[in-house]
Amino acid sequence: MGNNSAYQLIEDCNATNKALYKFYAAVMIVIFILALPLNASVLHLFIFKLKFWKSNTNNIFLFNLVVADILLLFCLPIKAYNFIEGERRSSNDVVCKAMLFMLFLNRGASIAFLTVTSIDRYFNVVHPGRKNLLRAIKKSPQISIIIWLLLLPLTIPTMLQNFDCCNSHKSEDEPKNDALIKDVVDSVREAVFFTQIIIPFIILVYCTVRIVNRLRKKTVGDKTKLRRAVFLVTSVMVVFSFCFLPCTIARVVLLVVRVKELAEVYQDKAAVAFDGLMVLSYMDCLLDPLVYCFCSTKFKALYLTNYFPFLQKGIQVPLDSSTGQNSHPARSHVI
């Protein structure tokens, strides 16, 4: 296949390497099969066992994180079908825009609630006695609703043009005014994409470093609990870096290749790499429950008691019959 035909396939949002895109589709199907029952079971525990709306912990944020991951998962079979058909996105304009809306809204929500949870943990560990706005309002469901509403205007720019085809700053013979408007729209859309990842990443790095330093300096207390807390905040950074940074870097490379108008073969490789790393970012749906839920021994005990009782060893964590939480008031926190 010549370079010109490959370049045209990219611009038409078609796969240039159908075998590779079928592999991407297989990966998404595996993620869907593994992550859906995992997230659904965690959601069940939050609603029927933990009764998250009555909780004094981060459970409201974690509940929204699970909801965002589940909604994102439902997009994966459609995305996988498109890849199998040799299309990088749906040829139906309505379906394409709906998919973009769902993918970026729920992906943004997952990042947002992950970040808010880390900020809350930062205040609890580094400034345990200081009053803060987040601590005051986190018990109210309104804060979660506000986060979802704030994400809506950030999602709209990805729907203005075909973001999935990675054709920002496309070289075309257009009138000067039209070309200028298109460049502005493309730039806004790309700025939204990078902002949703870079700013939370900076916040996560700061919170993680401060929490780890604070815990390492703490000499009084349960060493096991301190090690678990360090492992938790470190895992957050690892998951975020593994899932979201590679596709961000690939997007930068892709934009540089297009703006510099390098050879079509480079644009093809950059686009294929970006699509593959976007698939990698969906692993977040599978890793979130493992990191945020199963790092808690109490939540793990509750999960095993309800779904895998035969795996339980030793003394089980005593659970309150109405909430599913530890009956001891001083140990009622899940995370």
Side-chain angles (χ1 to χ4, degrees):
M1 181 179 292
N3 287 346
N4 290 333
S5 57
Y7 178 75
Q8 191 59 47
L9 284 173
I10 296 172
E11 298 304 318
D12 292 340
C13 223
N14 292 320
T16 56
N17 188 331
K18 292 187 177 182
L20 183 57
Y21 276 81
K22 287 181 179 178
F23 170 75
Y24 291 164
V27 173
M28 285 190 285
I29 292 172
V30 170
I31 293 174
F32 177 82
I33 292 173
L34 295 178
L36 184 60
L38 178 60
N39 280 275
S41 60
V42 171
L43 189 66
H44 171 265
L45 291 186
F46 272 123
I47 296 175
F48 296 104
K49 299 296 181 180
L50 296 174
K51 300 188 186 300
F52 69 92
W53 60 90
K54 297 181 179 179
S55 175
N56 292 324
T57 66
N58 293 327
N59 288 353
I60 291 178
F61 293 150
L62 294 175
F63 168 79
N64 280 273
L65 179 64
V66 176
V67 170
D69 286 342
I70 288 179
L71 293 176
L72 179 60
L73 281 173
F74 285 122
C75 298
L76 297 190
I78 301 175
K79 191 77 174 173
Y81 172 78
N82 293 331
F83 279 7
I84 292 173
E85 292 295 310
E87 300 173 339
R88 296 170 63 200
R89 50 82 174 167
S90 175
S91 55
N92 185 297
D93 190 57
V94 174
V95 174
C96 178
K97 289 186 177 181
M99 282 285 294
L100 284 171
F101 176 79
M102 289 293 292
L103 284 170
F104 283 92
L105 174 64
N106 296 299
R107 185 166 171 269
S110 179
I111 294 174
F113 286 108
L114 179 156
T115 306
V116 172
T117 301
S118 296
I119 294 174
D120 180 69
R121 189 177 296 113
Y122 162 77
F123 279 111
N124 288 338
V125 174
V126 181
H127 306 291
R130 181 181 299 179
K131 294 182 179 180
N132 63 82
L133 180 62
L134 182 61
R135 183 176 298 173
I137 64 178
K138 73 175 183 178
K139 300 176 185 178
S140 172
Q142 279 80 2
I143 180 62
S144 298
I145 296 174
I146 291 173
I147 290 174
W148 281 100
L149 292 177
L150 289 176
L151 287 168
L152 289 175
L154 295 177
T155 305
I156 292 174
T158 63
M159 300 171 61
L160 296 179
Q161 292 189 23
N162 196 357
F163 183 89
D164 263 0
C165 291
C166 317
N167 59 2
S168 295
H169 302 290
K170 180 179 177 181
S171 298
E172 290 180 335
D173 295 328
E174 296 178 340
K176 186 175 181 180
N177 290 338
D178 292 344
L180 179 61
I181 293 174
K182 182 183 181 302
D183 283 341
V184 171
V185 170
D186 287 347
S187 298
V188 170
R189 186 177 63 228
E190 298 300 332
V192 169
F193 175 80
F194 291 115
T195 299
Q196 282 189 334
I197 296 177
I198 294 175
I199 292 180
F201 178 71
I202 294 172
I203 294 174
L204 285 174
V205 169
Y206 176 80
C207 291
T208 301
V209 170
R210 292 296 304 275
I211 289 172
V212 171
N213 288 339
R214 176 70 179 87
L215 292 174
R216 285 178 175 172
K217 292 178 182 178
K218 190 174 181 180
T219 57
V220 179
D222 189 334
K223 292 287 183 67
T224 301
K225 290 183 178 179
L226 295 182
R227 285 196 296 268
R228 188 182 301 126
V230 172
F231 172 75
L232 177 59
V233 294
T234 305
S235 298
V236 173
M237 284 302 308
V238 171
V239 169
F240 194 95
S241 302
F242 175 77
C243 293
F244 300 119
L245 290 187
C247 66
T248 305
I249 296 172
R251 188 79 186 182
V252 172
V253 173
L254 178 58
L255 289 176
V256 170
V257 169
R258 291 190 65 87
V259 171
K260 296 293 185 180
E261 297 183 4
L262 299 181
E264 288 84 353
V265 64
Y266 293 119
Q267 295 193 37
D268 177 28
K269 291 180 178 179
V272 170
F274 173 74
D275 288 339
L277 292 174
M278 280 296 292
V279 172
L280 179 66
S281 73
Y282 302 144
M283 283 288 294
D284 177 60
C285 298
L286 182 60
L287 297 177
D288 276 346
L290 300 177
V291 172
Y292 289 99
C293 300
F294 299 146
C295 281
S296 165
T297 55
K298 296 178 180 62
F299 190 95
K300 182 170 65 176
L302 177 62
Y303 191 91
L304 293 177
T305 299
N306 280 270
Y307 298 112
F308 303 99
F310 55 88
L311 295 178
Q312 280 287 67
K313 296 180 181 180
I315 301 175
Q316 297 183 4
V317 177
L319 301 173
D320 183 86
S321 58
S322 62
T323 64
Q325 292 180 300
N326 192 308
S327 59
H328 195 291
R331 298 180 180 178
S332 61
H333 296 292
V334 173
I335 297 295

